[in-house]
């Protein structure tokens, strides 16, 4: 005796239950990956009372590159926000809106290590030196030390003799101790500077080392460098002029930028500085969006406060979440999932419960990946170019997710597709010209095609195959750029994970919840979006599929040669990029079994 068919109302309830279960799994995933991590065993641990912090009061849209500088009111607001957090600040210029820092800092009880920025423009150098001397003499109670030049030798902007000339001029004109700041290697390469300064200002940045050091070993490295500098440059006090850790950006081997690792680093260093009596300056007070143009995402993410002057490392019971705003992003993901499901609800409720659940799970997975892309794009919107990249990649992903969702729905309904399989550059010019004539409702044959929606027409012209190809080509480009000039380039995982993961997940769900008899074949990536065998490649030449497939497997290997296996983020990215070649490889292998492949030229 057959069980009675559920009534439509019951099917709607079943669909809502499936959506609810999938949504709970989505929320659980966001919580799991962003659950608070223990940073300190002390539940009262706080990041405050820092000895000194680098102070650059630039807001979004301001900075030395665009020659737009903060107003006096903004500078005072920034210094006020640091009261109670820091004892002193270090500047990098005596101009560019920073002239009032010594005057205002004194009102808040903040000491100043004031600086002159030196570069290749000698006329600007003269203005900086003049301003530094004048301000040091006007505010001797606030300006405790002065620094002449920052990493000038590292950038090769000046010779050592030119730098020494500027140092001597300032020493002769001010009463405060005078120094020069650079990374430790350049101090050791120029030991004669020791005779020109009153104290040595050295930068210790484990993340930026030629052999980057992870957070776990950062304190050991800092102590080793500190002892090395003191031994080879004896007789002068040593100030750690820059020390810190970025909260965002690309990984460099074991050095991983993150909020959690940055908080661990700062707390560990503050304990070390107190135990060893280190003189230091933490880099830096606020995130600096203008630095992204020079150093990528990581350049703008060294602040103790974010660019909006909010604390980045507020610990609760000694714990910190990597993404505290994850509930908002999870809510965005749930909304995106509903946008995918609701237009097809009438078709979905007619499916068996297991297939309803499969579609609900798939919608939540695609929505979570798209929400992660949106979060990443909005948080890293540092320029018009980056915003345009975010919009384009977000739109392409949204379209692709919709196509995958509808493809999965077709499969779970048992429909047999008659379109061509997934293949690179598979849409011919003839098909493009015939698109409006054959498929669109407002085309020449609209009367005979009135039952076909525009969305179905797009799918009939293999839009998904073309979008997949665009992502694959872009992945190759990203790999090439990471190899050629990757020091400041992020690994764009958020922008490329959805298409390949969505494609694989669609195939797996179709196999598990769809036609069990075809399950083994569907689990394989061969056959692309449909289960028809692809045509053999044209004779006499390599196909685009072969060329692109080779690049997708070869170029990520070069990325790993450059980045090394210790860089987990580079490994994840390389695997994602290479995965784009799997469907193309499956097509080529399937085509190779067809009669006539030996004459096609593919194996020549």
């Amino acid at each position: 005796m057959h069980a009675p068919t559920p009534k439509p109302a019951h099917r709607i309830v079943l669909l809502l239950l499936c959506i609810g279960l999938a949504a709970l799994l989505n929320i659980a995933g966001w919580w799991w990956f962003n659950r608070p991590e223990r940073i300190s065993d002390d539940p009262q641990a706080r990041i405050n009372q820092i000895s000194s912090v680098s102070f650059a009061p630039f807001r979004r849209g301001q900075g030395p590159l665009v020659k737009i500088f903060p107003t006096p009111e903004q500078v005072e607001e920034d210094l006020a926000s640091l009261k109670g957090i820091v004892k002193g600040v270090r500047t990098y210029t005596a101009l560019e809106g920073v002239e009032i820092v010594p005057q205002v800092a004194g009102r808040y009880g903040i000491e100043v290590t004031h600086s002159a920025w030196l570069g290749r423009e000698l006329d600007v150098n003269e203005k900086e030196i003049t301003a530094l001397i004048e301000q040091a003499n006007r505010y001797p109670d606030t300006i405790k030390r002065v620094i002449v030049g920052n990493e000038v030798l590292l950038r090769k902007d000046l010779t050592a003799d030119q730098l020494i000339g500027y140092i001597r001029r300032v020493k002769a004109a001010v009463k405060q101790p005078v120094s020069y700041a650079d990374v430790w290697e350049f101090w050791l390469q120029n030991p004669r500077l020791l005779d020109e300064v009153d104290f040595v200002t050295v930068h210790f940045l484990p993340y930026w080392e030629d052999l980057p050091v992870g957070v776990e070993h950062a304190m050991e490295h800092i102590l080793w460098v500190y002892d090395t500098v003191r031994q080879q440059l004896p007789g002068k006090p040593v100030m750690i002029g820059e020390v810190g850790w970025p909260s965002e950006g690309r990984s460099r081997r074991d050095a991983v930028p993150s909020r959690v690792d940055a908080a661990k680093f700062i707390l560990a260093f503050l304990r070390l500085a107190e135990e060893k009596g280190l003189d230091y300056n933490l880099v830096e007070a606020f995130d600096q969006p203008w630095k992204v143009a020079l150093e990528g995402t990581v350049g703008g993410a060294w602040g103790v406060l974010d660019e909006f002057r909010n604390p980045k490392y507020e610990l609760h019971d000694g714990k910190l979440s990597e993404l505290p705003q994850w509930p908002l992003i999870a809510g965005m993901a749930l909304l995106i999932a509903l946008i995918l499901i609701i237009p097809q609800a009438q078709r979905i409720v007619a499916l068996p419960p297991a297939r309803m659940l499969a579609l609900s799970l798939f919608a939540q997975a695609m929505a979570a990946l798209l929400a992660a892309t949106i979060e990443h794009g909005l948080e890293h919107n540092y320029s018009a170019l980056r915003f345009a990249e975010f919009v384009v990649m977000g739109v392409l992903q949204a379209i692709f997710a919709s196509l995958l969702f509808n493809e999965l729905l077709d499969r779970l309904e048992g429909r047999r597709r008659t379109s061509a399989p997934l293949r690179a550059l598979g849409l011919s010019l003839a098909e493009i010209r015939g698109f409006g004539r054959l498929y669109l409702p407002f085309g020449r044959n609209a009367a005979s095609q009135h039952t076909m929606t525009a969305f179905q027409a797009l799918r009939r012209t293999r839009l998904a195959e073309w979008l997949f190809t665009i992502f694959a080509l872009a992945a190759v480009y990203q790999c090439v750029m990471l190899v050629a000039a990757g020091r400041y380039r992020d690994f764009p995982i958020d922008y490329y994970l959805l298409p390949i993961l969505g494609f694989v997940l669609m195939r797996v769900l179709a196999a598990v919840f769809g036609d069990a008899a075809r399950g083994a074949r569907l689990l394989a990536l061969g056959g692309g979006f449909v289960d028809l065998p692809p045509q053999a490649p044209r004779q006499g030449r390599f196909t685009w599929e072969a060329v692109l497939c080779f690049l997708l497997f070869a170029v990520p290997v070069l990325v790993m040669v450059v980045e090394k296996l210790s860089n987990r983020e580079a490994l994840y990215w390389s695997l994602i990029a290479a995965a784009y070649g799997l469907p193309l490889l499956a097509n080529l292998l399937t085509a190779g079994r067809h009669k006539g492949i030996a004459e096609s030229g593919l194996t020549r």
Side-chain angles (χ1 to χ4, degrees):
M1 183 174 180
H2 297 287
T5 303
K7 295 181 180 180
H10 293 164
R11 287 194 170 276
I12 294 174
V13 172
L14 280 174
L15 177 59
L16 292 176
L17 288 175
C18 291
I19 293 173
L21 177 59
L24 287 176
L25 292 175
N26 194 349
I27 294 172
W30 282 101
W31 169 81
W32 176 259
F33 289 108
N34 297 286
R35 66 192 186 281
E37 295 187 39
R38 182 160 296 284
I39 307 299
S40 173
D41 294 331
D42 180 7
Q44 303 300 321
R46 295 290 184 271
I47 296 177
N48 55 19
Q49 288 303 303
I50 299 169
S51 177
S52 178
V53 65
S54 296
F55 183 77
F58 302 117
R59 315 293 178 97
R60 183 175 290 247
Q62 299 175 343
L65 299 181
V66 295
K67 303 299 181 183
I68 300 175
F69 307 117
T71 65
E73 293 76 17
Q74 290 173 332
V75 173
E76 180 161 6
E77 180 182 344
D78 285 349
L79 286 169
S81 69
L82 296 176
K83 185 178 180 180
I85 300 177
V86 305
K87 299 176 183 177
V89 297
R90 174 194 167 184
T91 64
Y92 288 81
T93 175
L95 302 173
E96 299 179 350
V98 184
E99 301 92 331
I100 70 165
V101 167
Q103 176 186 358
V104 177
R107 296 205 295 265
Y108 292 100
I110 297 176
E111 298 179 353
V112 177
T113 299
H114 213 23
S115 304
W117 182 268
L118 301 180
R120 298 185 179 185
E121 300 179 19
L122 300 184
D123 57 333
V124 176
N125 292 349
E126 287 298 321
K127 295 177 182 178
E128 287 277 358
I129 292 295
T130 300
L132 177 63
I133 293 172
E134 189 274 331
Q135 292 165 28
N137 290 327
R138 181 184 295 184
Y139 303 105
D141 294 334
T142 302
I143 300 177
K144 301 299 182 180
R145 297 178 289 196
V146 298
I147 296 177
V148 182
N150 182 75
E151 298 184 352
V152 174
L153 300 180
L154 171 65
R155 298 192 307 273
K156 296 181 173 58
D157 285 350
L158 298 174
T159 66
D161 289 334
Q162 288 175 305
L163 175 60
I164 288 173
Y166 287 120
I167 293 173
R168 289 176 177 176
R169 283 178 55 188
V170 175
K171 280 193 69 173
V174 304
K175 297 179 181 179
Q176 294 91 338
V178 178
S179 183
Y180 162 69
D182 213 324
V183 297
W184 62 279
E185 294 95 334
F186 279 83
W187 266 104
L188 300 186
Q189 293 171 20
N190 296 273
R192 63 193 181 108
L193 289 175
L194 187 64
D195 296 330
E196 307 296 335
V197 299
D198 298 310
F199 64 100
V200 177
T201 304
V202 190
H203 296 169
F204 296 173
L205 298 171
Y207 172 86
W208 279 128
E209 294 283 10
D210 291 337
L211 293 176
V213 179
V215 165
E216 296 79 8
H217 304 289
M219 298 305 112
E220 302 169 20
H221 175 75
I222 288 172
L223 278 180
W224 176 80
V225 173
Y226 185 78
D227 290 339
T228 301
V229 171
R230 292 189 67 183
Q231 290 172 9
Q232 298 195 27
L233 299 174
K236 298 290 176 69
V238 175
M239 173 190 178
I240 302 177
E242 285 186 358
V243 62
W245 197 268
S247 60
E248 294 281 352
R250 57 112 66 209
S251 298
R252 301 187 69 237
R253 298 197 181 185
D254 293 333
V256 180
S258 72
R259 285 168 52 87
V260 169
D261 279 1
K264 288 179 179 178
F265 179 94
I266 294 173
L267 281 176
F269 179 78
L270 292 181
R271 286 195 297 268
L272 179 68
E274 185 176 0
E275 293 172 3
K276 302 293 184 180
L278 303 180
D279 183 10
Y280 70 90
N281 173 79
L282 199 67
V283 60
E284 58 191 322
F286 316 111
D287 284 349
Q288 295 292 294
W290 70 272
K291 289 186 179 179
V292 173
L294 299 175
E295 301 176 1
T297 300
V298 70
W302 292 78
V304 177
L305 307 179
D306 64 22
E307 64 168 306
F308 304 108
R309 282 44 182 173
N310 300 315
K312 285 164 56 177
Y313 310 117
E314 283 194 333
L315 304 183
H316 301 281
D317 193 27
K319 296 180 180 180
L320 179 71
S321 172
E322 186 64 39
L323 186 66
Q325 66 272 27
W326 71 262
L328 178 63
I329 311 303
M332 184 191 308
L334 300 183
L335 178 61
I336 294 172
L338 290 177
I339 293 174
L340 285 174
I341 292 172
I342 290 176
Q344 303 293 348
Q346 188 171 1
R347 294 172 62 189
I348 297 173
V349 295
L351 295 173
R355 302 187 183 195
M356 287 188 197
L357 181 61
L359 283 164
S360 300
L361 290 170
F362 186 78
Q364 294 290 341
M366 293 298 94
L369 293 172
L370 190 56
T373 294
I374 295 172
E375 187 275 331
H376 176 89
L378 293 177
E379 188 171 356
H380 299 83
N381 174 27
Y382 295 118
S383 66
L385 182 61
R386 284 208 168 196
F387 181 73
E389 178 188 30
F390 156 60
V391 170
V392 170
M393 296 302 289
V395 169
L396 292 181
Q397 286 186 63
I399 295 173
F400 195 78
S402 299
L403 293 169
L404 286 175
F405 181 81
N406 281 270
E407 176 70 23
L408 178 60
L409 178 56
D410 279 355
R411 288 174 179 271
L412 296 184
E413 286 180 332
R415 297 190 182 187
R416 301 271 313 177
R417 294 285 302 281
T418 58
S419 63
L422 170 62
R423 60 187 183 185
L425 303 178
L427 185 60
S428 67
L429 292 176
E431 288 173 310
I432 295 176
R433 289 194 298 268
F435 176 69
R437 183 179 74 254
L438 296 176
Y439 301 133
L440 284 182
F442 46 81
R444 189 176 300 173
N445 293 342
S448 62
Q449 300 289 335
H450 66 279
T451 59
M452 182 179 293
T453 67
F455 188 78
Q456 289 171 324
L458 288 173
R459 293 170 63 203
R460 283 281 294 274
T461 58
R462 298 200 300 273
L463 176 62
E465 286 85 341
W466 268 83
L467 287 180
F468 191 90
T469 302
I470 290 172
F471 282 113
L473 289 170
V476 170
Y477 167 78
Q478 294 288 353
C479 287
V480 170
M481 295 305 297
L482 283 166
V483 171
R487 181 177 175 86
Y488 303 120
R489 183 176 292 272
D490 295 340
F491 296 100
I493 292 175
D494 287 339
Y495 287 166
Y496 291 85
L497 183 58
L498 185 151
I500 187 62
L501 185 60
F503 172 72
V504 173
L505 185 59
M506 182 270 292
R507 302 285 296 180
V508 170
L509 290 176
V512 174
F513 293 96
D515 187 348
R518 296 189 297 153
R521 186 157 59 90
L522 283 168
L523 281 172
L525 293 176
F529 278 83
V530 297
D531 304 312
L532 298 177
Q535 298 175 354
R538 292 183 181 180
Q539 296 183 0
R541 67 176 178 86
F542 282 103
T543 63
W544 271 106
E545 287 95 331
V547 174
L548 184 55
C549 184
F550 171 79
L551 292 175
L552 285 166
F553 287 126
V555 183
V557 174
L558 296 179
V559 174
M560 291 312 305
V561 170
V562 173
E563 296 291 339
K564 310 304 179 187
L565 286 173
S566 58
N567 190 335
R568 288 173 294 175
E569 188 180 18
L571 178 61
Y572 299 153
W573 161 251
S574 297
L575 291 174
I576 291 169
Y580 277 87
L582 293 177
L584 306 180
L585 178 63
N587 277 352
L588 292 170
L589 293 176
T590 305
R593 294 195 296 268
H594 280 220
K595 183 179 178 180
I597 189 62
E599 293 80 25
S600 68
L602 181 63
T603 58
R604 291 179 185 177

